[in-house]
């Protein structure tokens, strides 16, 4: 069997500081980049080249550490670092690099290694001079951050530095200033969090409705001669017309499929008894219920918020009439719905359906509990941010510079996401929450089997091989890792908070989830 993923890859995932948890992801990729960028303060020597405007070059092993770095507070969690260079900090490496260029340069008219040093300096000197200074600055800054063990957001941002030009013919002392945003210290307390778990009471009516849906799903489609049931499936051709049914030149033409019960009662009565190829004239807002009208308008390419579009007339021509004969409550149906069970009668079916509905709403209720925990942490954990630095980072830290107005608009949501990033990362690290390779594979297997509910899983010998192929997809692995780690985090938090159970209807739970969903 082929190895499906390198163990080192999973070790890397386990070492990451998770920035965006799957359940609460928002479209701010910048937050992950900001919070998860390797800190220059930890193992800085590994991150040479990560600082803006400084080129990535190899380290000069003969470098003489004589430069100084000063630190000055310029705001809340916002410091200025200034790298001060003297000539002796960069001139030796500059001269050494020029000699290296002279040995390797291929210049017409000269043998390799025999190019006069003066010509090399004239041709390459200024660029080498600039490279050596910037490389020295970067090395000094990295060393300082590593030695001081500073926890910072992203990377240092360059400030206005020495205004003098870097001139190899007039070397001097230089100062380069950088701005850093420091990560805040904060505490997370979970023991005093109180949440409500909403328990849905499954009724006989809910069970009957679900069984009817199952019988329809496994039923048989027939084509009656005329419309005679609100469950009739109608294939309809929509043709834009005036109120008299005259076609509008260049008007909308569209085929659709609708249940008779989606129409208003009056339109249902008008359609009742109609046969294939019969037609009626309708005004959209008088033919459909509000929810169905919105869907029909969108399908026709019209604006659901435009009253004039809703008042348009259409000629509806029936192209096909269908009706689903519900499946009988027999052994075949029981086996189709629950292929791995041994259900033999309606009572056993109702019990199985009840358990399935309960499991569904229990899962939704737990999601709502997790949502309450999330909001409690976001609302009550006090975290201070270096807002001045973050605004500047948002403005200039991406691929395309943003305007100050755009940054101000984005900042509140951005800070909220960043706050959750810090809280969740802290909790994950403190509780040593990880995901093993086998758990990723189990999730892949579960995903496959969820698509095969109506089949006997024992008849799928290819399942293991297919799961292994899924594990070769790094995007799938990363997303699954984050999802599973998120689940583990909230399961842990759920065990630590105070939970009170409250009975509710399915509609009440759905309303609460809709209201609080983020």
């Amino acid at each position: 069997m082929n190895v499906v993923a390198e163990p080192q890859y999973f070790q890397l995932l386990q070492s990451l500081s998770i920035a965006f948890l799957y359940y609460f992801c928002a479209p701010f990729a910048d937050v992950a980049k900001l919070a998860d960028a390797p800190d220059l303060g930890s193992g800085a020597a590994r991150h040479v080249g990560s600082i803006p405007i400084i080129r990535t070059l190899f380290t000069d092993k003969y470098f003489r550490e004589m430069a100084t770095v000063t630190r000055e507070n310029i705001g809340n969690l916002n410091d200025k670092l200034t790298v001060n260079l003297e000539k002796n900090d960069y001139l030796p490496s500059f001269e050494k690099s020029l000699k290296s260029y002279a040995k390797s340069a291929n210049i017409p008219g000269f043998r390799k290694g025999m190019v006069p040093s003066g010509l090399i300096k004239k041709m390459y000197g200024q660029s080498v001079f600039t490279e050596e200074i910037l490389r020295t600055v970067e090395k000094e800054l990295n060393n300082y951050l590593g030695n001081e063990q500073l926890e910072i957001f992203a990377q240092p941002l360059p400030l206005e530095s020495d205004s003098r030009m870097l001139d190899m013919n007039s070397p001097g002392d230089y100062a380069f200033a950088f701005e850093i945003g420091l990560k805040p210290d904060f505490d997370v307390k979970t023991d005093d969090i109180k949440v409500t778990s909403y328990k849905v009471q499954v009724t006989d009516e809910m069970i009957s409705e679900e069984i009817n849906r199952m019988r329809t799903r496994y039923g048989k489609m027939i084509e009656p001669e005329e419309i005679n049931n609100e469950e009739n499936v109608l294939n309809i051709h929509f043709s834009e017309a005036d109120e008299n049914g005259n076609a509008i030149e260049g008007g909308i033409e569209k085929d659709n499929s609708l249940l008779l019960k989606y129409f208003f009662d009056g339109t249902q009565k008008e359609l009742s008894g109609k046969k294939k190829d019969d037609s009626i004239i309708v005004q959209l807002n008088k033919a459909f219920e509000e929810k169905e009208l919105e869907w029909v308008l969108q399908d026709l390419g019209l604006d659901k918020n435009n009253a004039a579009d809703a008042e348009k007339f259409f000629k509806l021509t029936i192209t096909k009439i269908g009706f689903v004969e519900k499946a009988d409550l027999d052994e075949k149906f029981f086996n189709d719905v629950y292929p791995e069970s041994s259900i033999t009668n309606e009572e056993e079916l109702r019990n199985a359906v009840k358990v399935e509905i309960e499991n569904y709403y229990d899962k939704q209720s737990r999601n709502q509990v997790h949502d309450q925990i999330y909001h409690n942490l976001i609302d009550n954990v006090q975290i201070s941010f270096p807002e001045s630095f973050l605004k500047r980072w948002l403005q200039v830290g991406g691929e395309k510079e943003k305007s100050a107005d755009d940054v101000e608009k984005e900042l509140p949501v951005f800070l909220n996401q960043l706050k959750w990033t810090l809280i969740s990362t802290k909790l994950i690290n403190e509780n040593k929450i990880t995901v093993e390779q086998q758990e990723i594979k189990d999730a892949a297997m579960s995903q496959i089997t969820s698509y095969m509910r109506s089949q006997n899983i024992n008849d799928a010998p290819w399942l293991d091989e297919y799961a292994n192929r899924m594990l070769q997809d790094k995007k799938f692995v990363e997303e699954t890792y984050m999802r599973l780690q998120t689940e583990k985090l909230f399961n842990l938090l759920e065990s630590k908070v105070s939970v009170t159970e409250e009975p509710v209807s399915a509609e009440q739970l759905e309303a609460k989830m809709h209201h609080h969903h983020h």
Side-chain angles (χ1 to χ4, degrees):
M1 181 180 298
N2 294 329
V3 177
V4 298
E6 294 294 333
Q8 294 88 345
Y9 183 62
F10 290 93
Q11 293 169 8
L12 173 62
L13 283 174
Q14 291 175 345
S15 69
L16 288 175
S17 173
I18 298 300
F20 267 84
L21 297 183
Y22 183 88
Y23 183 65
F24 297 109
C25 266
F28 271 97
D30 283 346
V31 177
K33 182 168 66 173
L34 175 67
D36 285 348
D39 289 342
L40 294 172
S42 54
R46 297 194 302 271
H47 308 305
V48 173
S50 62
I51 302 173
I53 78 157
I54 296 184
R55 299 180 59 184
T56 301
L57 297 170
F58 58 86
T59 301
D60 184 354
K61 67 180 179 179
Y62 298 108
F63 177 75
R64 297 164 59 194
E65 298 184 10
M66 299 174 63
T68 61
V69 179
T70 59
R71 179 178 174 186
E72 173 190 356
N73 180 256
I74 56 176
N76 179 45
L77 297 171
N78 193 190
D79 285 359
K80 174 183 176 181
L81 301 181
T82 303
V83 181
N84 299 288
L85 298 184
E86 295 180 355
K87 288 188 291 184
N88 288 337
D89 295 322
Y90 59 82
L91 279 180
S93 55
F94 167 58
E95 297 293 344
K96 179 177 179 294
S97 293
L98 280 181
K99 291 178 181 179
S100 178
Y101 268 90
K103 292 179 180 180
S104 60
N106 288 312
I107 298 178
F110 297 93
R111 293 172 59 189
K112 186 175 181 180
M114 301 298 292
V115 182
S117 59
L119 181 59
I120 290 293
K121 187 171 184 179
K122 182 177 180 180
M123 295 180 65
Y124 303 110
Q126 185 57 51
S127 64
V128 174
F129 184 77
T130 301
E131 284 178 353
E132 290 301 331
I133 290 178
L134 296 183
R135 183 173 62 176
T136 303
V137 170
E138 181 176 41
K139 179 179 175 67
E140 284 301 318
L141 189 58
N142 280 331
N143 286 343
Y144 178 84
L145 292 170
N147 292 335
E148 295 296 317
Q149 296 185 337
L150 299 181
E151 291 286 332
I152 67 173
F153 286 115
Q155 308 97 0
L157 294 177
L159 294 169
E160 292 296 328
S161 297
D162 200 312
S163 60
R164 291 173 296 173
M165 295 293 293
L166 302 180
D167 186 356
M168 70 172 180
N169 295 315
S170 182
D173 299 341
Y174 299 102
F176 294 84
F178 298 86
E179 177 184 9
I180 59 172
L182 298 167
K183 290 184 179 179
D185 290 325
F186 62 95
D187 295 320
V188 180
K189 296 180 179 179
T190 58
D191 295 342
D192 57 351
I193 295 178
K194 297 180 180 180
V195 297
T196 302
S197 175
Y198 300 103
K199 181 70 174 179
V200 172
Q201 306 299 309
V202 179
T203 64
D204 287 341
E205 182 181 3
M206 293 167 66
I207 296 172
S208 296
E209 288 177 354
E210 180 59 25
I211 290 176
N212 275 332
R213 281 191 287 269
M214 290 176 171
R215 293 180 65 192
T216 299
R217 186 161 64 246
Y218 289 92
K220 177 183 178 182
M221 176 69 77
I222 62 172
E223 295 184 25
E225 187 176 338
E226 63 180 36
I227 299 172
N228 55 16
N229 191 298
E230 68 170 7
E231 297 292 337
N232 280 137
V233 181
L234 308 181
N235 287 7
I236 296 174
H237 180 76
F238 284 72
S239 179
E240 191 174 357
D242 60 23
E243 59 184 319
N244 296 315
N246 299 311
I248 293 180
E249 186 176 353
I252 298 170
E253 303 282 340
K254 187 77 166 59
D255 291 314
N256 210 326
S257 180
L258 299 165
L259 290 175
L260 180 63
K261 64 182 180 182
Y262 289 167
F263 291 88
F264 271 132
D265 289 344
T267 308
Q268 287 187 36
K269 291 178 181 178
E270 187 176 359
L271 286 166
S272 183
K274 298 292 185 185
K275 299 180 179 180
K276 182 177 177 298
D277 297 327
D278 287 346
S279 61
I280 63 171
I281 309 300
V282 301
Q283 190 173 16
L284 295 179
N285 61 353
K286 295 180 180 179
F288 295 99
E289 300 278 357
E290 182 178 357
K291 184 178 179 181
E292 282 70 32
L293 174 62
E294 181 178 310
W295 182 84
V296 169
L297 286 170
Q298 289 179 313
D299 187 70
L300 292 173
L302 297 172
D303 186 354
K304 64 180 182 180
N305 299 313
N306 187 333
D309 282 354
E311 294 172 355
K312 286 179 177 290
F313 286 87
F314 278 82
K315 180 179 181 180
L316 308 187
T317 301
I318 301 163
T319 58
K320 186 177 180 180
I321 303 171
F323 179 74
V324 178
E325 288 186 335
K326 291 181 172 62
D328 293 329
L329 293 174
D330 55 19
E331 185 176 348
K332 180 181 183 305
F333 173 70
F334 300 148
N335 188 62
D336 286 342
V337 176
Y338 294 105
E340 296 183 9
S341 68
S342 55
I343 295 174
T344 59
N345 56 57
E346 185 176 354
E347 181 180 358
E348 291 176 355
L349 174 67
R350 294 183 69 85
N351 289 336
V353 170
K354 181 179 182 180
V355 169
E356 187 170 0
I357 296 175
E358 286 177 339
N359 289 340
Y360 169 80
Y361 283 113
D362 284 348
K363 182 177 180 180
Q364 299 305 309
S365 180
R366 290 193 70 194
N367 288 341
Q368 219 282 326
V369 166
H370 296 170
D371 186 85
Q372 293 176 58
I373 294 172
Y374 165 84
H375 282 289
N376 192 293
L377 291 170
I378 286 292
D379 295 341
N380 296 308
V381 174
Q382 301 301 312
I383 301 181
S384 181
F385 289 105
E387 290 195 20
S388 176
F389 172 84
L390 295 176
K391 287 180 181 179
R392 187 160 176 256
W393 186 85
L394 275 175
Q395 189 168 8
V396 303
E399 294 181 1
K400 183 178 180 182
E401 187 167 334
K402 298 177 181 178
S403 70
D405 288 342
D406 287 341
V407 170
E408 288 295 337
K409 292 176 183 177
E410 292 181 9
L411 188 65
V413 176
F414 181 83
L415 289 180
N416 202 55
Q417 298 294 342
L418 182 56
K419 186 175 186 179
W420 175 246
T421 295
L422 296 179
I423 292 172
S424 59
T425 300
K426 183 180 181 70
L427 291 170
I428 285 171
N429 292 337
E430 287 179 350
N431 292 283
K432 298 180 174 58
I433 298 174
T434 60
V435 177
E436 301 300 326
Q437 180 174 354
Q438 185 59 46
E439 293 177 283
I440 305 286
K441 183 173 182 179
D442 290 344
M445 299 276 280
S446 178
Q447 182 172 314
I448 298 169
T449 55
S450 69
Y451 299 145
M452 302 173 55
R453 178 174 172 177
S454 62
Q455 300 181 35
N456 190 330
I457 201 64
N458 296 324
D459 295 334
W462 47 265
L463 183 62
D464 190 71
E465 181 182 349
Y466 193 86
N468 286 340
R469 288 205 300 269
M470 291 176 69
L471 292 185
Q472 293 174 346
D473 182 349
K474 287 190 175 183
K475 181 179 179 182
F476 169 80
V477 171
E478 290 170 356
E479 290 179 350
T480 304
Y481 183 97
M482 292 181 70
R483 176 174 60 81
L484 294 177
Q485 193 169 48
T486 301
E487 291 175 1
K488 288 187 176 186
L489 172 61
F490 279 100
N491 290 342
L492 174 66
L493 293 175
E494 187 178 352
S495 69
K496 291 186 175 184
V497 304
S498 176
V499 182
T500 301
E501 188 172 290
E502 178 182 323
V504 295
S505 67
E507 292 75 19
Q508 288 173 320
L509 176 60
E510 289 171 2
K512 290 180 183 296
M513 295 190 67
H514 176 74
H515 177 71
H516 289 287
H517 188 68
H518 41 267

